[in-house]
Each structure stands twice: as structure tokens, then as C-alpha cells.
Amino acid sequence: MCNFANLMKIDAKEQVFLEKAQQFCAADEQCTATVMRKLVDWGCPATSTNKIVTMLTAGGYIDEYRYVCRYCESKAFHQKWGRIKITSMLRQKHIAGDVIAKGIKVIDDEEYRKVLLGVAQTKWRTYTGDDDEKNVNKLTAFLMSRGYELDIIKDVIKDIEQ
């Protein structure tokens, strides 16, 4: 484990929090806001959290862009969320807009459309009744609630209806 105490003066108590945070970040990709919240939950003094987060960032334990890329791929392809919902959730984590914009580009358009089509087809099969217009509206509302963009939804619905 790297010792970043040389970057900034830290006391023994801060060193304990730093090491705990290093283990937390090494186990899974984390963003700054989550690490700061964890430090506070662990009882780290507010005056030390910024210092520790700075050390973690300098040491490569925290990388917002790397986090956003991983988050985008995970949510788009495993949770089957749309870009709008992913962006919204990242904003709630206080990640900068330019980092989100760069990170959201890692989502492959073709794969994204395939996932959307699969979600739409699965949901479409659950609708009963002969009122296709009502079913299309329900499907559109459902897909929008998952964070998909309206223009892509319309294209996918055309494919399903054919």
C-alpha cells in the first residue's frame, strides 16, 4: 500500500482514515462524493476529508473520469438505463458536466440501441388489448422513465410495430 503521507502532513488518526479509504477505493471504483460521505460516516473530521480525498486522487485511487466510464457501461448494459437517467444520477453524485459528457460517450451506440430494443420488446409483450396507440404511449412512457431519449424510442417502436 502506498504511503501518501509525504504529499501532505497527516497525523496518525488521518493515516488510519486514509488507509481505510484506500482499501475502500481499491475494492471498487468510487467517486469523490461517495468517498467523502464514507469518510464522514466513519467519523473522519470534516477538516481532514478534503486532505484525504486529495491524497487519494493524487495516488490514483479516485479518478472521476474512470468512475464515470465504468458507471455508464454498467448502468447502460447491465441495469438497462438510458443516457438521460445515467446523466441525472451522475449529476446527483456532484460530478462535473464535462466529465459526464466525456464518459457518456463510452456507451456504444449500436449496443445501446440493441439493449433498448430488447427492453422495449420485453415490455411490449406484457401489454394486452387491441389498442396499439394506447400501448405505444404506455411503452414510450415506460422507456422514458428508464432514461431513454425520445427520438431513439420512436425509432425502436417503429421497428417493433413492423
Side-chain angles (χ1 to χ4, degrees):
M1 201 176 299
C2 290
N3 183 351
F4 297 104
N6 297 335
L7 295 175
M8 297 180 171
K9 291 257 185 203
I10 62 171
D11 60 33
K13 196 169 187 173
E14 289 174 330
Q15 183 66 35
V16 171
F17 287 117
L18 175 62
E19 289 172 6
K20 192 170 183 176
Q22 286 172 333
Q23 291 173 350
F24 178 65
C25 293
D28 194 19
E29 201 66 57
Q30 302 296 334
C31 67
T32 302
T34 301
V35 174
M36 290 185 98
R37 190 172 49 253
K38 272 292 186 190
L39 286 166
V40 170
D41 290 348
W42 293 332
C44 182
T47 55
S48 300
T49 57
N50 284 338
K51 189 188 313 183
I52 292 170
V53 166
T54 300
M55 295 171 112
L56 292 169
T57 303
Y61 285 93
I62 298 175
D63 183 324
E64 296 283 284
Y65 176 70
R66 190 176 65 213
Y67 172 79
V68 168
C69 290
R70 182 150 180 217
Y71 186 92
C72 288
E73 288 181 338
S74 172
K75 297 304 180 185
F77 302 125
H78 299 293
Q79 299 294 323
K80 298 179 172 126
W81 288 2
R83 287 184 179 113
I84 294 170
K85 184 172 182 175
I86 294 168
T87 300
S88 175
M89 297 307 283
L90 287 168
R91 283 188 185 132
Q92 288 181 12
K93 294 177 180 286
H94 307 289
I95 295 178
D98 61 326
V99 176
I100 295 172
K102 284 194 293 188
I104 208 91
K105 290 179 183 175
V106 302
I107 300 172
D108 181 69
D109 289 334
E110 192 173 317
E111 287 298 313
Y112 181 74
R113 194 176 190 320
K114 284 180 187 176
V115 169
L116 171 56
L117 181 60
V119 170
Q121 287 173 330
T122 301
K123 190 66 173 176
W124 183 258
R125 287 191 290 270
T126 67
Y127 296 137
T128 57
D130 295 332
D131 190 354
D132 277 350
E133 184 177 337
K134 184 177 178 181
N135 290 341
V136 165
N137 289 338
K138 285 174 22 179
L139 181 60
T140 301
F142 170 75
L143 294 173
M144 287 181 73
S145 75
R146 298 289 300 237
Y148 290 100
E149 303 89 331
L150 186 58
D151 57 332
I152 300 173
I153 291 171
K154 287 180 180 180
D155 289 343
V156 166
I157 289 176
K158 285 178 190 173
D159 292 347
I160 292 174
E161 287 182 316
Q162 291 176 355

